């Protein structure tokens, strides 16, 4: 049990979205200023561009330099390391290189590995996760599953034994998707809220899948779940992935207000009304 209240960081999965203009970013604000504007509200971001491509090191270094000294980044691993594992081998050293600008600036909170729905519990996949852990040593590693075969006591024990954080998720209540199990396996907690768009979860673009706006009642239920986790944690990260039309920023701001007392710049709050 922790004697001190854990630190809580709330933010969004990504920040660079064209449809956030007018919904979160002021109309006309140049894209090169979006990250600095984002940091006026939130103290962490999950950088998910690395899932699709690995940016140049100078771009990543610029991100680190353009954020406050206490700002934090979670970096999502490239899809070849989770979704196309037959291509993972050459990707490991390249991905490790992308972590360096954030590590050098003391802004690297950890790395997220999100596995697809087809990645089910079996011995081969357990071995792959162990390999991933070994390829990214001495770095907090959060594992997100999308198939409910992993909801098992042995899974949580495996993650604890290998110092990996179980990622708590909120997503639609559909067959074999992960339920919102609030387990902790390290002293770092990680929650990703994807929305509950049942109709468009399968067979749709990411825009449709994550088109969801959490109600205050739904967020209040999550506030209660979060409070039930805190005694086991040193630090907790809560990231919203329902990024359509800036709803992730809106919901993150609301939850931040409910838990922490609001964004760092209260005068900006009307943007979320």
């Amino acid at each position: 049990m922790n004697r001190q209240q854990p630190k809580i960081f709330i933010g969004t999965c990504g920040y660079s979205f064209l449809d956030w203009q007018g919904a979160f970013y002021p109309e006309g604000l140049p894209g090169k200023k979006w990250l600095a504007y984002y940091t006026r509200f939130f103290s962490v971001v999950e950088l998910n561009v690395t899932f699709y491509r690995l940016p140049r090191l100078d771009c990543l270094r610029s991100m680190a330099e353009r954020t406050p000294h206490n700002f934090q980044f979670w970096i999502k691993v490239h899809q070849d390391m989770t979704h196309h594992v037959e291509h993972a081998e050459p990707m490991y050293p390249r991905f490790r290189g992308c972590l360096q600008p954030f590590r050098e600036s003391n802004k690297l909170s950890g790395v997220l590995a999100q596995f697809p729905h087809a990645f089910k519990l079996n011995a081969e996949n357990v071995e792959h996760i162990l390999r991933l852990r070994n390829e990214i040593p001495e770095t907090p590693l959060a594992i997100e599953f999308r198939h409910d075969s992993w909801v098992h006591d042995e899974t949580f024990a495996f993650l604890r034994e290998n110092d990996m954080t179980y990622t708590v998720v909120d997503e639609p209540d559909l067959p074999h998707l992960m339920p919102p199990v609030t387990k902790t396996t390290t002293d770092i907690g990680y929650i990703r809220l994807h929305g509950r768009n049942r109709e468009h979860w399968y067979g749709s673009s990411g825009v449709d899948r994550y088109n969801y706006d959490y109600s205050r009642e739904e967020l209040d239920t999550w506030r209660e779940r979060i409070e039930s986790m805190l005694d086991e944690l040193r630090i907790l990260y809560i990231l919203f992935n329902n990024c359509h039309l800036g709803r992730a920023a809106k919901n993150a701001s609301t939850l931040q207000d409910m838990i922490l007392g609001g964004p760092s710049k209260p005068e900006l709050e009307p943007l979320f009304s």
Side-chain angles (χ1 to χ4, degrees), residues 34-76:
W34 288 356
L35 180 57
Y37 187 84
Y38 175 96
T39 67
R40 297 167 70 182
F41 292 90
F42 307 112
S43 55
V44 65
V45 72
E46 180 187 290
L47 193 64
N48 53 23
V49 64
T50 49
F51 177 79
Y52 302 100
R53 61 178 178 84
L54 299 185
R56 300 193 318 270
L57 284 183
D58 60 329
C59 293
L60 298 172
R61 190 166 289 110
S62 175
M63 290 182 191
E65 292 173 350
R66 288 183 286 122
T67 51
H69 70 91
N70 59 346
F71 190 80
Q72 297 292 298
F73 289 87
W74 274 83
I75 313 299
K76 191 173 182 181

Side-chain angles (χ1 to χ4, degrees), residues 13 33 37 58-59 68 79 89 98 114 123 126-127 131 144-145 154-155 164 171 199 229 234 243 246 261 269:
C13 301
K33 295 186 177 181
Y37 187 84
D58 60 329
C59 293
Q79 58 187 322
E89 191 68 29
C98 289
Q114 176 227 302
V126 168
E127 285 301 314
R131 175 65 188 275
E144 178 180 348
F145 301 110
E154 282 75 7
T155 298
M164 291 182 282
E171 53 196 26
E199 181 180 357
M229 298 171 62
R234 174 178 56 85
C243 290
E269 192 170 1

